[in-house]
Amino acid sequence: MTAISFLGLGAIGAPMARHFTAPAFELTVWNRTRARADAFARGTPARVAATPADAARGAAFVITCLPTSREVEALLDGPDGLLAGLARGTTLIDCTSGDPATSRRIAARLAEHGVDFMDAPVSGGVSGAEQGTLTVMCGGDAEVFARIRPVIDAFGEKLVHCGPVGAGHALKSVNNALLAVHVWSTAEGLAALARAGVSPAVALEVINASSGRSNTSQNLFPERVLTRAFPRTFRLALLDKDVGIAAQVAREGRVPSPLLQLTSELFGIAHRALGEEADHVEAVRLIEQWAGVELG
Ligand code: NDP
């Protein structure tokens, strides 16, 4: 049995962690709000750890899935921190959609303690996590990637080694920036068409059989906007963070990136207007409000 510790049982962390309740693994979980970990573990063989240090003790692989790299870095220190429990030879797999610079700092600190690090953010949403079909983008040494493969295979389907530490996070941020561009541009386009007398349903029927289609137009809008369901699966606050990382990666690389910078600004506005709990697709509500139309 492989000893796995999973820290961060949020919207996507919990369904990812659930795959490690299978007999091949010995699972320990930790969550900042203990009640969430207790609820997760009920009826499963998982052990609930009292602290990150307690969770790290005895684990071969520690997996983190927190909002940003800032929270992962903050978990390292102090008497209850991860570093107090991590043994040499352990591997920390960070599934947070984090930022490359902080990950390089975390990796350097862990290396001082003989602990390997790999950034391994995921794509595929809550349903992909439940079905174990996530895409996992990995940054770190090839040898570490080979070692973590059987672990991330529990929740992933497409497992890709993208480059050195930070490469997974950079790629994830750009992927999500593209999602943000699609959500925003599809909403603007449909609002303009609604004003021109074309219903959103007809517009999507045509776009989805034409060259402007995307996952956003084929799945998100029909299932979430037209129906007015707007389920809360991935917080707008987190997408705002991801686009901000992509914009930062572009600036650091001195890549002219007006579209990424503008998208980051727009999602910052939407995040502030709609609050911490809004789903990412609810950014559409802001465009509807500005345009005075409803895309339902
Ligand atoms: P949630 O907001 O649902 O959960 C966040 C988790 O982090 C909770 O377990 C929360 O604990 C914990 N947490 C928050 N702040 C701290 C802190 N300061 N110290 C310790 N733990 C903390 O986020 P998601 O699960 O949706 O997302 C997690 C990561 O996965 C993010 O980076 C996100 O961008 C990424 N992601 C999410 C997807 C999705 O569809 N939801 C898809 C792909 C990637 P508590 O219970 O105490 O609040």
Side-chain angles (χ1 to χ4, degrees):
M1 289 212 293
T2 308
I4 308 281
S5 284
F6 202 107
L7 292 84
L9 302 169
I12 198 150
M16 286 166 70
R18 204 161 296 285
H19 294 283
F20 297 108
T21 57
F25 303 101
E26 187 185 321
L27 177 64
T28 299
V29 292
W30 176 83
N31 194 66
R32 179 182 62 174
T33 305
R34 165 97 192 207
R36 217 166 177 176
D38 290 336
F40 173 93
R42 207 163 295 134
T44 80
R47 176 178 81 87
V48 177
T51 63
D54 178 25
R57 264 178 220 115
F61 299 91
V62 174
I63 304 175
T64 44
C65 191
L66 303 180
T68 74
S69 294
R70 220 177 15 255
E71 284 84 30
V72 179
E73 193 172 35
L75 232 53
L76 295 181
D77 294 305
D80 291 337
L82 278 174
L83 284 172
L86 282 167
R88 296 187 83 77
T90 314
T91 306
L92 178 67
I93 304 169
D94 183 23
C95 294
T96 305
S97 298
D99 71 89
T102 309
S103 290
R104 285 192 288 269
R105 211 158 55 222
I106 293 172
R109 293 220 35 221
L110 292 173
E112 290 168 11
H113 294 77
V115 174
D116 287 318
F117 175 85
M118 181 148 282
D119 42 307
V122 300
S123 184
V126 171
S127 64
E130 285 165 353
Q131 289 155 32
T133 57
L134 292 172
T135 296
V136 192
M137 316 161 208
C138 298
D141 290 347
E143 176 265 315
V144 180
F145 177 65
R147 198 176 335 130
I148 71 160
R149 232 193 139 95
V151 176
I152 58 176
D153 190 48
F155 53 71
E157 187 170 76
K158 188 162 184 61
L159 318 175
V160 184
H161 183 220
C162 306
V165 168
H169 282 154
L171 209 167
K172 170 69 186 174
S173 72
V174 170
N175 176 75
N176 278 23
L178 298 181
L179 163 66
V181 167
H182 288 147
V183 169
W184 201 279
S185 57
T186 305
E188 280 190 4
L190 292 193
L193 287 170
R195 281 263 173 244
V198 182
S199 85
V202 168
L204 284 173
E205 184 187 345
V206 172
I207 289 167
N208 287 335
S210 306
S211 50
R213 69 183 181 273
S214 63
N215 178 57
T216 297
S217 68
Q218 289 180 300
N219 296 307
L220 296 181
F221 270 66
E223 291 166 14
R224 300 174 176 218
V225 179
L226 259 54
T227 58
R228 313 310 288 167
F230 291 107
R232 293 187 162 176
T233 61
F234 175 47
R235 292 190 298 122
L236 174 61
L238 293 173
L239 185 57
D240 175 26
K241 171 259 308 179
D242 292 335
V243 189
I245 294 170
Q248 172 81 16
V249 167
R251 283 196 304 274
E252 281 170 4
R254 299 188 181 284
V255 173
S257 51
L259 189 53
L260 286 180
Q261 307 304 324
L262 175 62
T263 307
S264 173
E265 199 171 317
L266 291 170
F267 274 79
I269 292 169
H271 176 184
R272 285 190 291 281
L274 297 163
E276 291 306 310
E277 297 310 318
D279 185 73
H280 66 301
V281 179
E282 289 184 78
V284 171
R285 292 191 197 274
L286 196 62
I287 297 150
E288 289 179 331
Q289 205 181 309
W290 290 351
V293 296
E294 193 172 280
L295 303 175

